[in-house]
Amino acid sequence: MSTYSRRSPGRDTFDHGYRAIVIRVPRVSGVVSVRVLAVCATLALLTLILAIISLTLGTYPVPLGDVVAALTGTASKQTHMLVLGWRLPRALFAIACGIALAISGAIFQTLTRNPLGSPDIIGFSSGSYTGAILVMLLLGSTRYLDIATGAIVGGIITAAIVYLLATVGGSVQSFRLIIMGIGVAALLSSLNSALMLSTSVDTAMLAAVWAAGSFNALGHDQLWPMTALLLILLAAVITLAPGLRQLELGDATAQSLGLRANRTRALAVVVGVALTALVTAAAGPISFIALAAPQIARRLVRGSGLLLVPSALVGAFSLLTSDVLAQRIGVPVGVVTVSLGGAYLAWLLISEFRRRT
């Protein structure tokens, strides 16, 4: 491992002008700027601190010392149940869902080469929501794996439709993809409303509460299956990452380097939809994180391209922060993220309009 800066001679010159660390491991090598490491370390530390603070908050406040005692196994049975049985799974869910949404957003923004290309905007989240609702309302199932399957299938079908509508002359146009995605999302929103009106009041109320996006009533039974599936998908993302970075150069360049562009893109879409569907199945549709986290990460590290780790850490911290705020004001976390996301989307649209004009 070594460091160098822009002033280093020869081929060790680092183009961005930041001090960097060269990591050399058998079969793995890379260059990571010191700024990226500092940002990632800061975000990880802030997330850890906020997670510990979240364990002290709630209807029954728990002193920090009792939280530490619960984490070390020396607290009373009541405190142990309150901290580890109820509050810790919620904090871990927020972190895991934030990671999944942020990486999904980074994948789709890389594929579309557009900051608006997130599953929230281009309809994939709506497709996952529709698939989950069909399982809940028509099949009468509330099992996590059933809802997750329905959400993944719904998201993949929606993605296939949007990509088909956005394909012109054998290639997908990113701007057309976003426009078609917005249209499909609006259509699915109407379908979801019709489904809710066509079922019983009790079932519709249950689906409506879930649709607000909340970590209430989620515990270890739902956390561990979701975590296992998330780890599998993260391994798939790591495998696809080199190909996604080549796609950023354009299909022609990527194919000249030996990449099967269409196959890589299709696999990335499936993995990105699955990441969104995992969150939708567990907590309901949660907006804003997939849209904003990759862009915030790029501004923090002053980088570009596919930034998986910074995006994941921004997503984890953002969703955990939103959930802590949601608990304090007594609303579902989805309400908080939608409110923040609306303001962020307006700012992003204005920025894109100014940049283009």
Side-chain angles (χ1 to χ4, degrees):
M1 181 179 296
S2 60
T3 62
Y4 60 84
S5 65
R6 189 171 184 175
R7 296 186 181 89
S8 301
R11 61 182 179 181
D12 282 346
T13 300
F14 189 59
D15 293 336
H16 298 291
Y18 303 114
R19 290 189 60 80
I21 293 177
V22 182
I23 300 175
R24 293 188 179 92
V25 182
R27 296 188 178 183
V28 179
S29 63
V31 179
V32 182
S33 73
V34 173
R35 183 182 182 88
V36 172
L37 292 177
V39 168
C40 290
T42 301
L43 287 170
L45 180 61
L46 290 176
T47 302
L48 177 61
I49 293 173
L50 183 60
I52 294 175
I53 292 175
S54 71
L55 300 180
T56 68
L57 304 176
T59 305
Y60 302 99
V62 178
L64 183 59
D66 290 347
V67 169
V68 174
L71 293 175
T72 56
T74 59
S76 65
K77 185 176 180 180
Q78 181 180 3
T79 301
H80 184 275
M81 175 60 67
L82 184 62
V83 173
L84 300 185
W86 296 348
R87 295 181 183 176
L88 181 61
R90 178 166 185 154
L92 294 178
F93 251 115
I95 293 172
C97 290
I99 291 172
L101 290 173
I103 291 181
S104 178
I107 289 173
F108 287 117
Q109 289 178 12
T110 297
L111 291 176
T112 60
R113 304 187 189 96
N114 193 306
L116 294 176
S118 77
D120 313 77
I121 303 299
I122 55 182
F124 300 164
S125 294
S126 298
S128 298
Y129 177 35
T130 301
I133 280 187
L134 288 174
V135 171
M136 294 177 65
L137 300 187
L138 300 185
L139 301 182
S141 176
T142 57
R143 292 177 63 244
Y144 173 73
L145 291 179
D146 293 341
I147 296 176
T149 301
I152 292 173
V153 172
I156 290 175
I157 292 175
T158 303
I161 293 173
V162 172
Y163 265 81
L164 181 63
L165 294 174
T167 301
V168 177
S171 62
V172 178
Q173 299 180 1
S174 61
F175 183 74
R176 184 183 177 92
L177 178 72
I178 293 171
I179 296 301
M180 291 299 175
I182 292 173
V184 170
L187 178 63
L188 290 174
S189 178
S190 300
L191 175 61
N192 295 337
S193 298
L195 289 172
M196 299 282 278
L197 292 173
S198 64
T199 188
S200 65
V201 175
D202 293 338
T203 305
M205 287 295 294
L206 176 64
V209 171
W210 171 82
S214 174
F215 298 123
N216 291 334
L218 293 177
H220 291 286
D221 292 340
Q222 297 82 19
L223 175 63
W224 301 124
M226 192 267 187
T227 303
L229 292 173
L230 177 60
L231 291 175
I232 294 172
L233 291 173
L234 291 180
V237 172
I238 293 173
T239 303
L240 292 171
L244 289 173
R245 293 190 175 95
Q246 291 179 1
L247 283 178
E248 292 178 333
L249 304 175
D251 284 8
T253 303
Q255 290 172 355
S256 68
L257 296 173
L259 180 71
R260 298 173 63 180
N262 291 332
R263 178 176 176 273
T264 300
R265 186 180 291 108
L267 290 174
V269 169
V270 171
V271 173
V273 168
L275 287 168
T276 302
L278 278 182
V279 179
T280 303
I286 297 178
S287 303
F288 165 67
I289 303 299
L291 173 68
Q295 296 302 313
I296 295 174
R298 289 178 181 179
R299 286 164 173 78
L300 288 175
V301 304
R302 298 178 185 174
S304 60
L306 186 65
L307 301 171
L308 293 178
V309 176
S311 298
L313 290 172
V314 171
F317 178 73
S318 299
L319 189 52
L320 182 59
T321 302
S322 298
D323 187 49
V324 171
L325 179 60
Q327 292 181 67
R328 302 305 296 170
I329 61 180
V331 299
V333 66
V335 175
V336 175
T337 60
V338 164
S339 301
L340 296 175
Y344 177 81
L345 180 59
W347 174 82
L348 189 60
L349 288 170
I350 294 172
S351 300
E352 279 293 295
F353 175 78
R354 289 178 176 176
R355 186 178 66 83
R356 290 180 180 272
T357 56

